[in-house]
Amino acid sequence: MVGRAKRVGVVPNALDFSSDTHRLEKGRTREFTDLREIGLVPEALDLRAYFGAPAQLEDAIARLDALWVVGGNAFVLRRAMSQSGLDGILVTRSHEPGFVYAG
């Protein structure tokens, strides 16, 4: 399902409520390791960097073959999706046969 380059944007924003940096880094390492073990190339995609800049987020996503959303607080994730414009991008891209969104 994922394109040839297998680049996966890992969206960690459901965990934005946590300040436990040790636990966050441990979880990030685990997510990236698991994705690499199945042949994917993960890269971080922090939605906070795109708050108020949906066009830049759309450009960043266009370079990826898939999005992987890390679990956590759905309400915090929803806020980040709204503020970055990911919610609208997902609606548009969901109709594309090659677009993969998972988590």
Side-chain angles (χ1 to χ4, degrees), residues 47 57 78-92:
L47 297 179
L57 178 58
R78 178 67 188 105
R79 178 190 56 83
M81 291 172 74
S82 176
Q83 287 185 264
S84 66
L86 180 60
D87 51 358
I89 294 168
L90 290 176
V91 169
T92 302

Side-chain angles (χ1 to χ4, degrees), residues 27-41:
R28 179 186 184 281
T29 299
R30 185 183 64 247
E31 292 283 347
F32 276 52
T33 299
D34 290 350
L35 291 168
R36 284 186 189 109
E37 285 179 357
I38 60 172
L40 301 174
V41 180

Side-chain angles (χ1 to χ4, degrees), residues 6-78:
K6 300 183 190 244
R7 295 169 307 215
V8 178
V10 179
V11 179
N13 297 97
L15 299 172
D16 285 349
F17 66 91
S18 179
S19 60
D20 185 344
T21 55
H22 175 72
R23 186 173 179 192
L24 290 170
E25 184 55 36
K26 186 177 177 182
R28 179 186 184 281
T29 299
R30 185 183 64 247
E31 292 283 347
F32 276 52
T33 299
D34 290 350
L35 291 168
R36 284 186 189 109
E37 285 179 357
I38 60 172
L40 301 174
V41 180
E43 59 183 72
L45 184 66
D46 189 338
L47 297 179
R48 293 176 291 184
Y50 300 96
F51 282 5
Q56 287 85 355
L57 178 58
E58 194 161 11
D59 289 344
I61 292 172
R63 295 188 308 270
L64 300 169
D65 300 297
L67 286 181
W68 178 262
V69 180
V70 176
N73 185 311
F75 297 102
V76 172
L77 175 62
R78 178 67 188 105

